[in-house]
Amino acid sequence: EKREENLIGPGLLHLDLRAEDLKNVDGLFGKKSSIEDSSSILKNVHDWWDKSDPFYEISNADKEVVARSEVVMNDLNPSFKSVVVPMKKLCGCNPYAPIYLTFYDWEESGKHRVLGRIRTNVDCILHANMESSATATTKKKKNNKKNKNKNKVEPFDRLQVDGKDYGKVYVMKAWVEKSRAVLNIQKTARGYQASSKYQRFRGSVVVLQSMHRMKAAAKMAASMQEKERLARLAEEERQRSSTMLIQKMYRGHKACSQYGKWRHGAIALQSLCRMASAKSELQHLKEEEQERQLKDGAAVMIQKAIRGSSDRKRYKNALSLAVGLQRLARSVQAKCKLEALRSEKEEKKERGAILIQKTYRGHVAMSEFDHSRSACVTLELWWRAVAAKKCLSKLKVDKARCEKENSAAKCIQRAVRFDQANMRLSEKREENL
């Protein structure tokens, strides 16, 4: 009966997969296939912690690729986006036909590495989706710590290469979007089956409902009695806690008032002691400041006179040195300018001589080139005439041979085109049917 209900007509399969603990073939800690790959990773430090870049392909029983997912970069637990596959190409609308899910590691060179392969069919994928959704709903309802480990979603299948496991695959969502005609037919068939089952099991369901309601009423009565008992205990506890709270607040208020009186008296004594000590220190500082000002006045006058005379001597020496340096710098600049003018004059003379020599040599070379060019032209004319005669004789022979070959080729082409037209017409008729 399950197989009859899951018969699938033409439509689209929507598939949403998630993988965990995939094989790592990238980076310093990945399983590389050669020593050269690991040496290239050691040179590039930023590639040490790279991970695999997984994607998967869906192929039919003939191992023809029907769909391909997007690439999830640098992730060993990827969640792929939904993939849409036409049922006709995938399994010929047969949910029990074998299909293949092949997982790869994406490489920029185009040589993708195989991470694992699963052989399954559309019916198994749809049942795996139903089981994962059922476990997810039970997980939401039961929030107790004891049941958390019991309600984990089991993986759909495991990736295997040479008999070894290289990861787990989960079916997150999977459904078939069907055409309207198929949906109407399936709807009527399922409605008829449901009505027959309903009439068959209606009596047993009524009996089960009555028994369940009796048990539920007994549980409800027991829960109501338990709630009343807990409410009485809570009221007694609340009254006891309120009396203790009043006593605590009164004792705290009494202790705070006594502490405030003691604190005020201590602060008054501290302020009087600090005021007396501050006055004595201020008087002592004033006396020291007056003595220091008398000593510093005479010393400042003497220092001012000595520093003024020394500064004037330094200024005169610096002025004489600066004037001498300026005189030397200006004489050096004048000499450099004179030498530059002389070198420019000599360069102009050399350029004029070079220009005269260049024009004379160009005239001689042009006369020699014209003489040799006329000789080459006469030789080329004679040689091209001889080659044209040989080519004309070959073309006449080829023309006779091509006329014979064209007649045979046209007959073959006509037959091939007629066969191709018949094949296209038969394909269009099959598609229309």
Side-chain angles (χ1 to χ4, degrees):
E1 288 178 1
K2 282 187 178 179
R3 289 182 176 271
E4 289 178 359
E5 288 177 0
N6 290 330
L7 288 175
I8 298 171
L12 298 174
L13 174 64
H14 295 259
L15 184 59
D16 191 354
L17 296 180
R18 178 171 64 86
E20 286 183 1
D21 302 329
L22 292 180
K23 179 183 177 183
N24 187 12
V25 296
D26 288 337
L28 182 63
F29 304 101
K31 299 178 182 177
K32 288 288 182 181
S33 61
S34 64
I35 298 172
E36 296 177 0
D37 294 335
S38 60
S39 64
S40 65
I41 286 177
L42 291 173
K43 292 178 183 177
N44 300 324
V45 178
H46 62 276
D47 293 334
W48 285 10
W49 289 275
D50 281 353
K51 298 178 183 177
S52 299
D53 308 323
F55 71 95
Y56 67 91
E57 292 180 348
I58 304 174
S59 52
N60 54 19
D62 298 329
K63 295 186 178 179
E64 179 185 358
V65 177
V66 179
R68 180 179 177 181
S69 71
E70 93 286 9
V71 180
V72 180
M73 303 301 289
N74 199 16
D75 195 357
L76 298 180
N77 301 311
S79 294
F80 300 98
K81 292 183 179 179
S82 181
V83 177
V84 182
V85 189
M87 290 293 295
K88 191 172 183 181
K89 288 185 179 180
L90 181 61
C91 58
C93 301
N94 182 10
Y96 310 109
I99 62 174
Y100 298 90
L101 301 175
T102 309
F103 287 74
Y104 295 93
D105 174 39
W106 181 84
E107 297 291 341
E108 192 173 3
S109 61
K111 297 179 181 179
H112 309 306
R113 303 187 183 192
V114 178
L115 298 178
R117 180 175 294 169
I118 297 172
R119 184 178 184 273
T120 182
N121 55 37
V122 177
D123 186 61
C124 291
I125 291 171
L126 294 175
H127 278 82
N129 179 36
M130 292 167 65
E131 291 171 2
S132 63
S133 63
T135 53
T137 53
T138 55
K139 211 172 184 181
K140 289 181 182 178
K141 290 180 180 179
K142 298 181 180 180
N143 293 323
N144 294 329
K145 295 182 179 179
K146 294 181 181 179
N147 295 327
K148 279 187 179 179
N149 296 324
K150 295 181 181 179
N151 294 324
K152 286 185 178 178
V153 179
E154 293 294 326
F156 164 63
D157 207 339
R158 297 179 182 270
L159 297 176
Q160 292 187 353
V161 177
D162 297 332
K164 296 181 179 179
D165 292 336
Y166 287 108
K168 304 172 186 176
V169 179
Y170 296 87
V171 178
M172 305 307 294
K173 290 182 183 179
W175 76 95
V176 177
E177 183 180 352
K178 303 174 185 177
S179 61
R180 294 203 172 182
V182 174
L183 286 172
N184 290 331
I185 293 168
Q186 290 182 353
K187 188 176 179 181
T188 54
R190 288 171 182 168
Y192 176 73
Q193 290 177 358
S195 63
S196 62
K197 286 181 182 179
Y198 174 74
Q199 294 294 334
R200 195 184 307 160
F201 298 113
R202 184 178 178 182
S204 59
V205 169
V206 169
V207 174
L208 290 171
Q209 284 179 352
S210 62
M211 291 174 68
H212 176 70
R213 285 169 183 166
M214 287 171 65
K215 289 181 180 179
K219 286 181 181 179
M220 190 179 293
S223 64
M224 291 292 289
Q225 290 176 0
E226 185 67 21
K227 284 180 182 179
E228 289 177 357
R229 188 178 66 79
L230 292 173
R232 285 196 302 271
L233 292 173
E235 184 66 23
E236 291 175 358
E237 185 67 25
R238 187 174 61 80
Q239 290 176 0
R240 193 181 301 113
S241 62
S242 62
T243 55
M244 291 174 69
L245 182 62
I246 292 165
Q247 290 175 359
K248 189 192 296 182
M249 290 176 68
Y250 174 72
R251 289 169 184 168
H253 175 70
K254 190 175 179 180
C256 286
S257 62
Q258 192 173 1
Y259 170 73
K261 291 176 182 179
W262 291 349
R263 185 182 179 188
H264 183 69
I267 289 169
L269 289 171
Q270 287 176 358
S271 62
L272 289 171
C273 294
R274 287 171 183 170
M275 185 172 66
S277 62
K279 284 181 180 179
S280 62
E281 288 178 1
L282 180 62
Q283 187 67 27
H284 183 65
L285 289 171
K286 283 180 179 180
E287 291 174 357
E288 289 180 353
E289 184 69 21
Q290 289 175 1
E291 291 176 359
R292 189 176 59 79
Q293 285 179 0
L294 291 171
K295 292 177 182 179
D296 291 344
V300 167
M301 294 296 291
I302 296 165
Q303 289 176 358
K304 190 186 293 182
I306 294 168
R307 287 173 183 170
S309 62
S310 64
D311 289 340
R312 282 193 291 274
K313 287 178 182 178
R314 287 175 191 166
Y315 173 73
K316 288 179 182 178
N317 293 329
L319 184 63
S320 62
L321 287 171
V323 170
L325 290 172
Q326 287 178 356
R327 191 182 297 116
L328 287 171
R330 287 169 183 169
S331 64
V332 171
Q333 287 179 357
K335 287 179 182 179
C336 291
K337 287 182 181 179
L338 183 61
E339 289 178 359
L341 291 171
R342 287 176 182 173
S343 62
E344 285 181 2
K345 191 174 181 180
E346 290 176 358
E347 286 178 359
K348 286 181 180 179
K349 289 180 181 179
E350 289 178 0
R351 287 176 186 171
I354 290 167
L355 183 62
I356 293 165
Q357 290 176 1
K358 185 168 67 176
T359 54
Y360 175 72
R361 288 172 184 169
H363 176 69
V364 172
M366 285 296 293
S367 63
E368 290 178 357
F369 173 73
D370 291 336
H371 181 68
S372 61
R373 184 181 180 185
S374 63
C376 289
V377 168
T378 55
L379 289 171
E380 286 178 355
L381 287 172
W382 177 78
W383 177 253
R384 286 173 182 168
V386 172
K389 288 179 182 178
K390 289 182 180 180
C391 185
L392 182 62
S393 61
K394 286 182 180 180
L395 287 171
K396 287 180 180 179
V397 174
D398 291 339
K399 184 178 179 182
R401 188 175 69 250
C402 289
E403 286 178 354
K404 292 179 181 179
E405 290 177 355
N406 286 332
S407 61
K410 286 179 180 178
C411 294
I412 293 167
Q413 287 177 357
R414 191 181 297 112
V416 170
R417 287 171 182 167
F418 182 73
D419 292 337
Q420 289 178 352
N422 287 332
M423 290 173 69
R424 289 174 186 168
L425 183 62
S426 62
E427 287 179 357
K428 287 183 178 179
R429 286 176 180 174
E430 290 178 359
E431 289 177 358
N432 291 328
L433 293 172

PDB file of all heavy atoms in Angstrom, residues 330-341:
ATOM      1  N   ARG A 330      78.529  81.550  -3.732  1.00  0.00           N
ATOM      2  CA  ARG A 330      78.209  82.309  -4.947  1.00  0.00           C
ATOM      3  C   ARG A 330      79.304  82.192  -6.001  1.00  0.00           C
ATOM      4  O   ARG A 330      79.031  82.145  -7.212  1.00  0.00           O
ATOM      5  CB  ARG A 330      77.977  83.765  -4.570  1.00  0.00           C
ATOM      6  CG  ARG A 330      76.651  83.972  -3.847  1.00  0.00           C
ATOM      7  CD  ARG A 330      76.544  85.341  -3.245  1.00  0.00           C
ATOM      8  NE  ARG A 330      75.293  85.466  -2.504  1.00  0.00           N
ATOM      9  CZ  ARG A 330      75.005  86.493  -1.689  1.00  0.00           C
ATOM     10  NH1 ARG A 330      75.898  87.461  -1.504  1.00  0.00           N
ATOM     11  NH2 ARG A 330      73.851  86.525  -1.048  1.00  0.00           N
ATOM     12  N   SER A 331      80.605  82.142  -5.577  1.00  0.00           N
ATOM     13  CA  SER A 331      81.686  81.976  -6.550  1.00  0.00           C
ATOM     14  C   SER A 331      81.615  80.606  -7.221  1.00  0.00           C
ATOM     15  O   SER A 331      81.805  80.476  -8.438  1.00  0.00           O
ATOM     16  CB  SER A 331      83.035  82.159  -5.847  1.00  0.00           C
ATOM     17  OG  SER A 331      83.225  81.135  -4.875  1.00  0.00           O
ATOM     18  N   VAL A 332      81.273  79.554  -6.447  1.00  0.00           N
ATOM     19  CA  VAL A 332      81.145  78.203  -7.020  1.00  0.00           C
ATOM     20  C   VAL A 332      79.994  78.139  -8.021  1.00  0.00           C
ATOM     21  O   VAL A 332      80.097  77.541  -9.104  1.00  0.00           O
ATOM     22  CB  VAL A 332      80.947  77.172  -5.894  1.00  0.00           C
ATOM     23  CG1 VAL A 332      80.591  75.802  -6.477  1.00  0.00           C
ATOM     24  CG2 VAL A 332      82.203  77.061  -5.046  1.00  0.00           C
ATOM     25  N   GLN A 333      78.864  78.780  -7.728  1.00  0.00           N
ATOM     26  CA  GLN A 333      77.729  78.792  -8.651  1.00  0.00           C
ATOM     27  C   GLN A 333      78.082  79.494  -9.960  1.00  0.00           C
ATOM     28  O   GLN A 333      77.699  79.060 -11.054  1.00  0.00           O
ATOM     29  CB  GLN A 333      76.546  79.487  -7.983  1.00  0.00           C
ATOM     30  CG  GLN A 333      75.879  78.661  -6.896  1.00  0.00           C
ATOM     31  CD  GLN A 333      74.722  79.387  -6.246  1.00  0.00           C
ATOM     32  OE1 GLN A 333      74.461  80.548  -6.583  1.00  0.00           O
ATOM     33  NE2 GLN A 333      74.074  78.722  -5.289  1.00  0.00           N
ATOM     34  N   ALA A 334      78.829  80.615  -9.897  1.00  0.00           N
ATOM     35  CA  ALA A 334      79.209  81.346 -11.118  1.00  0.00           C
ATOM     36  C   ALA A 334      80.106  80.493 -12.001  1.00  0.00           C
ATOM     37  O   ALA A 334      79.958  80.470 -13.239  1.00  0.00           O
ATOM     38  CB  ALA A 334      79.909  82.657 -10.728  1.00  0.00           C
ATOM     39  N   LYS A 335      81.069  79.760 -11.409  1.00  0.00           N
ATOM     40  CA  LYS A 335      81.945  78.896 -12.190  1.00  0.00           C
ATOM     41  C   LYS A 335      81.166  77.778 -12.878  1.00  0.00           C
ATOM     42  O   LYS A 335      81.415  77.447 -14.040  1.00  0.00           O
ATOM     43  CB  LYS A 335      83.006  78.290 -11.278  1.00  0.00           C
ATOM     44  CG  LYS A 335      84.072  79.289 -10.839  1.00  0.00           C
ATOM     45  CD  LYS A 335      85.074  78.619  -9.906  1.00  0.00           C
ATOM     46  CE  LYS A 335      86.113  79.626  -9.419  1.00  0.00           C
ATOM     47  NZ  LYS A 335      87.082  78.988  -8.480  1.00  0.00           N
ATOM     48  N   CYS A 336      80.201  77.192 -12.174  1.00  0.00           N
ATOM     49  CA  CYS A 336      79.383  76.110 -12.770  1.00  0.00           C
ATOM     50  C   CYS A 336      78.583  76.617 -13.968  1.00  0.00           C
ATOM     51  O   CYS A 336      78.480  75.944 -15.011  1.00  0.00           O
ATOM     52  CB  CYS A 336      78.451  75.525 -11.721  1.00  0.00           C
ATOM     53  SG  CYS A 336      79.288  74.603 -10.425  1.00  0.00           S
ATOM     54  N   LYS A 337      77.988  77.791 -13.876  1.00  0.00           N
ATOM     55  CA  LYS A 337      77.225  78.350 -14.995  1.00  0.00           C
ATOM     56  C   LYS A 337      78.115  78.596 -16.206  1.00  0.00           C
ATOM     57  O   LYS A 337      77.739  78.348 -17.360  1.00  0.00           O
ATOM     58  CB  LYS A 337      76.563  79.650 -14.556  1.00  0.00           C
ATOM     59  CG  LYS A 337      75.400  79.450 -13.615  1.00  0.00           C
ATOM     60  CD  LYS A 337      74.766  80.767 -13.247  1.00  0.00           C
ATOM     61  CE  LYS A 337      73.593  80.564 -12.279  1.00  0.00           C
ATOM     62  NZ  LYS A 337      72.983  81.839 -11.883  1.00  0.00           N
ATOM     63  N   LEU A 338      79.357  79.113 -16.010  1.00  0.00           N
ATOM     64  CA  LEU A 338      80.284  79.374 -17.120  1.00  0.00           C
ATOM     65  C   LEU A 338      80.652  78.074 -17.831  1.00  0.00           C
ATOM     66  O   LEU A 338      80.668  78.022 -19.078  1.00  0.00           O
ATOM     67  CB  LEU A 338      81.541  80.059 -16.566  1.00  0.00           C
ATOM     68  CG  LEU A 338      82.608  80.468 -17.594  1.00  0.00           C
ATOM     69  CD1 LEU A 338      82.031  81.472 -18.594  1.00  0.00           C
ATOM     70  CD2 LEU A 338      83.824  81.071 -16.900  1.00  0.00           C
ATOM     71  N   GLU A 339      80.942  77.014 -17.094  1.00  0.00           N
ATOM     72  CA  GLU A 339      81.281  75.735 -17.719  1.00  0.00           C
ATOM     73  C   GLU A 339      80.096  75.161 -18.491  1.00  0.00           C
ATOM     74  O   GLU A 339      80.260  74.570 -19.561  1.00  0.00           O
ATOM     75  CB  GLU A 339      81.712  74.751 -16.627  1.00  0.00           C
ATOM     76  CG  GLU A 339      83.057  75.090 -16.025  1.00  0.00           C
ATOM     77  CD  GLU A 339      83.429  74.131 -14.916  1.00  0.00           C
ATOM     78  OE1 GLU A 339      82.601  73.228 -14.650  1.00  0.00           O
ATOM     79  OE2 GLU A 339      84.513  74.268 -14.340  1.00  0.00           O
ATOM     80  N   ALA A 340      78.861  75.334 -17.986  1.00  0.00           N
ATOM     81  CA  ALA A 340      77.680  74.831 -18.699  1.00  0.00           C
ATOM     82  C   ALA A 340      77.500  75.548 -20.024  1.00  0.00           C
ATOM     83  O   ALA A 340      77.166  74.929 -21.060  1.00  0.00           O
ATOM     84  CB  ALA A 340      76.447  75.015 -17.821  1.00  0.00           C
ATOM     85  N   LEU A 341      77.724  76.879 -20.077  1.00  0.00           N
ATOM     86  CA  LEU A 341      77.600  77.623 -21.339  1.00  0.00           C
ATOM     87  C   LEU A 341      78.639  77.179 -22.364  1.00  0.00           C
ATOM     88  O   LEU A 341      78.343  77.034 -23.559  1.00  0.00           O
ATOM     89  CB  LEU A 341      77.736  79.122 -21.056  1.00  0.00           C
ATOM     90  CG  LEU A 341      76.570  79.766 -20.279  1.00  0.00           C
ATOM     91  CD1 LEU A 341      76.938  81.190 -19.870  1.00  0.00           C
ATOM     92  CD2 LEU A 341      75.299  79.767 -21.106  1.00  0.00           C
TER      93      LEU A 341
END
